[in-house]
């Protein structure tokens, strides 16, 4: 029965939003899987992929390389909403985790702020 309820929910969800929204969502999932996958983990299940799927392509992307004190840092900015997301590659492996967000619903689970290069804030 669970599968049927899920199917009905998804049908109603996408009927409300329309075909164009469904296609846009599918395109974002495909992009996330192609660009943010890590090892066996599909991009849609990574922090960067999830944010990309939910909010779309950022208007501005700032990348700071790793230093001896800080890991590589990527900042996404969405101009219309003022949303900002900062991701860090804490392990230096290419896997970026959400370290900061000014969106209440998108707070990281761990205290990653201490790993953010301070230079990213002014950019």
């Amino acid at each position: 029965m669970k599968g049927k309820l899920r199917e009905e929910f998804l049908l109603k969800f996408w009927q409300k939003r329309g075909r164009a929204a469904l296609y846009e969502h599918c395109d974002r999932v495909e992009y996330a899987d192609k660009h943010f996958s890590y090892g066996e983990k599909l991009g849609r299940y990574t922090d960067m992929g999830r944010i990309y799927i939910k909010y779309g392509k950022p208007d501005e992307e700032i990348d700071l390389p790793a230093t001896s004190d800080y890991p590589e840092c990527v900042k996404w900015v969405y101009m219309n909403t003022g949303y900002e997301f900062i991701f860090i590659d804490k392990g230096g492996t290419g896997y970026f985790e959400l370290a900061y967000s000014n969106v209440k619903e998108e707070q990281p689970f761990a205290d990653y702020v201490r790993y953010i290069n301070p230079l990213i804030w002014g950019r």
Side-chain angles (χ1 to χ4, degrees):
M1 185 70 165
K2 254 186 178 178
K4 181 134 176 84
L5 289 175
R6 176 182 163 90
E7 190 175 307
E8 288 173 11
F9 168 79
L10 288 172
L11 183 63
K12 288 178 184 176
F13 181 88
W14 290 113
Q15 281 177 338
K16 275 185 182 178
R17 284 153 183 82
R19 189 175 295 241
L22 173 60
Y23 289 148
E24 174 69 21
H25 175 76
C26 291
D27 288 345
R28 288 180 185 184
V29 170
E30 186 178 323
Y31 184 91
D33 285 349
K34 185 175 180 181
H35 292 90
F36 306 121
S37 291
Y38 181 78
E40 296 293 315
K41 191 174 199 173
L42 287 172
R44 69 185 81 175
Y45 300 119
T46 66
D47 288 345
M48 286 184 117
R50 184 179 56 76
I51 297 298
Y52 184 88
I53 292 167
K54 190 170 181 179
Y55 299 100
K57 183 180 184 211
D59 297 309
E60 184 178 8
E61 185 173 328
I62 300 156
D63 191 352
L64 285 181
T67 68
S68 58
D69 295 322
Y70 298 101
E72 184 176 358
C73 205
V74 175
K75 180 178 182 180
W76 287 358
V77 179
Y78 294 81
M79 301 298 188
N80 287 349
T81 59
Y83 293 166
E84 293 184 358
F85 302 94
I86 298 176
F87 305 92
I88 57 167
D89 179 6
K90 189 175 167 187
T93 61
Y95 181 70
F96 287 85
E97 298 174 87
L98 183 62
Y100 168 81
S101 169
N102 65 350
V103 180
K104 187 175 124 181
E105 300 83 26
E106 301 293 353
Q107 296 302 306
F109 294 105
D111 181 27
Y112 287 120
V113 172
R114 62 192 166 124
Y115 296 103
I116 298 173
N117 185 329
L119 294 175
I120 202 83
W121 299 109
R123 294 182 172 197

